[in-house]
Amino acid sequence: MRVGMGYDVHKLTKNRKLILGGVHIPYSMGLLGHSDADVLLHAIMDSLLGAAALGDIGKHFPDTNSKYKGISSLLLLKQVGELLSENKYKIVNIDATIIAQNPKMAPHIHTMIKKIANTLEIAEDRINVKATTEEGLGFTGSGEGIASQSICLITKK
């Protein structure tokens, strides 16, 4: 068994859609990034790649490559899942946290889990997504950005 952890952060900005866990969340701002800037999926991908010792998302999907401009992170997550499978790894579980002052995530978490499970072709009960605020502290607490952390467990098939 192997454990991996991932972390990602993106700045909030106007004129962008807020996409987290592959879900469009109505909000006045979105995350700035080369792809759709989905911090939740980025943290999950980094935890999976890290557990398998396969580098990170920057190695596999560099922001210098125009083919990833605006791409859905669900498509990138699918590729990470396929890479794990090619390397004979199976996902045991994923536990992830979204860190954001606003908007409220609770109404969207079940849909996020469903999309992640479908993309990785694993059971929903192998995925946990939760959200927290930082009580107004730091860049997430002031509403400047959103962060996410993920930890996963994988095993050889």
Side-chain angles (χ1 to χ4, degrees):
M1 289 200 257
R2 299 172 69 120
V3 175
M5 76 76 70
Y7 174 81
D8 196 35
V9 60
H10 283 274
K11 180 180 178 174
L12 281 163
T13 188
K14 295 201 181 291
N15 302 316
R16 291 270 302 198
K17 288 183 179 179
L18 180 58
I19 309 291
L20 291 169
V23 176
H24 174 249
I25 299 173
Y27 193 55
S28 60
M29 293 188 284
L31 294 169
L32 184 62
H34 186 70
S35 66
D36 62 6
D38 188 329
V39 293
L40 175 59
L41 295 186
H42 293 184
I44 289 171
M45 287 187 279
D46 267 347
S47 69
L48 292 168
L49 290 167
L54 294 171
D56 62 18
I57 60 173
K59 173 184 174 183
H60 294 277
F61 316 110
D63 62 8
T64 54
N65 189 329
S66 61
K67 80 177 188 178
Y68 302 121
K69 179 86 171 131
I71 194 169
S72 167
S73 292
L74 286 170
L75 296 174
L76 304 179
L77 180 63
K78 178 91 173 151
Q79 290 180 44
V80 168
E82 290 167 355
L83 187 59
L84 287 179
S85 188
E86 289 167 15
N87 284 274
K88 308 281 190 256
Y89 287 108
K90 175 180 131 178
I91 299 167
V92 177
N93 77 304
I94 297 167
D95 184 26
T97 304
I98 302 165
I99 306 156
Q101 197 65 33
N102 285 301
K104 296 297 179 199
M105 300 295 161
H108 309 285
I109 287 179
H110 179 73
T111 306
M112 292 176 192
I113 291 170
K114 189 178 238 20
K115 285 187 177 253
I116 295 164
N118 288 339
T119 301
L120 292 172
E121 299 178 7
I122 61 175
E124 290 179 31
D125 67 359
R126 292 177 178 250
I127 302 165
N128 188 58
V129 175
K130 53 200 176 295
T132 190
T133 69
E134 289 190 308
E135 304 296 330
L137 300 172
F139 69 90
T140 60
S142 68
E144 294 175 65
I146 295 178
S148 186
Q149 299 177 351
S150 174
I151 190 164
C152 71
L153 179 66
I154 63 173
T155 188
K156 280 287 190 178
K157 290 182 179 181

